[in-house]
Amino acid sequence: IITLSDLECDYINARSCCSKLNKWVVPELVGHAIVTVLMLISLHWFIFLLNLPVATWNIYRFIMVPSGNMGVFDPTEIHNRGQLKSHMKEAMIKLGFHLLCFFMYLYRLVSQSAAR
């Protein structure tokens, strides 16, 4: 979010911004896929179903990168067609999702330790 807002305010250039953001696309995808599979294996159905759409969206976004682009974030296209605003919106939604998951996992951890 901070990197995208820096780009929006012209504190950094598009190439530098996209390079920083693309560096984290694959680790985010792999990490979220692992968490989703672990929730399936451990039979936490609600959390699995909550994580599945986000993991699917991450995979879809990675697969649908047009050939010739630098990655999910492309410096030549980030200012076109309001992509910067949509990337900011997506980042805010993911932040909210991860905060929700953090507090759900924390609550689950506290309730399990209290039951013992």
Side-chain angles (χ1 to χ4, degrees), residues 12 47 79 108-109:
I12 60 174
I47 298 174
H79 290 293
R108 182 71 177 156
L109 179 68

Side-chain angles (χ1 to χ4, degrees), residues 39-103:
M39 293 302 157
L40 176 64
I41 292 171
S42 64
L43 301 177
H44 289 94
W45 297 111
F46 178 72
I47 298 174
F48 167 72
L49 292 174
L50 187 68
N51 279 295
L52 188 61
V54 178
T56 305
W57 173 252
N58 284 338
I59 293 168
Y60 171 78
R61 191 175 64 143
F62 182 72
I63 290 172
M64 296 309 288
V65 172
S67 62
N69 279 12
M70 186 175 162
V72 172
F73 301 95
D74 190 59
T76 58
E77 293 184 5
I78 197 155
H79 290 293
N80 295 342
R81 297 183 310 257
Q83 279 191 359
L84 182 58
K85 290 291 182 191
S86 68
H87 286 308
M88 285 286 284
K89 181 178 168 185
E90 180 182 338
M92 294 298 280
I93 291 170
K94 282 186 178 181
L95 176 65
F97 171 78
H98 289 299
L99 281 172
L100 174 73
C101 287
F102 171 75
F103 287 112

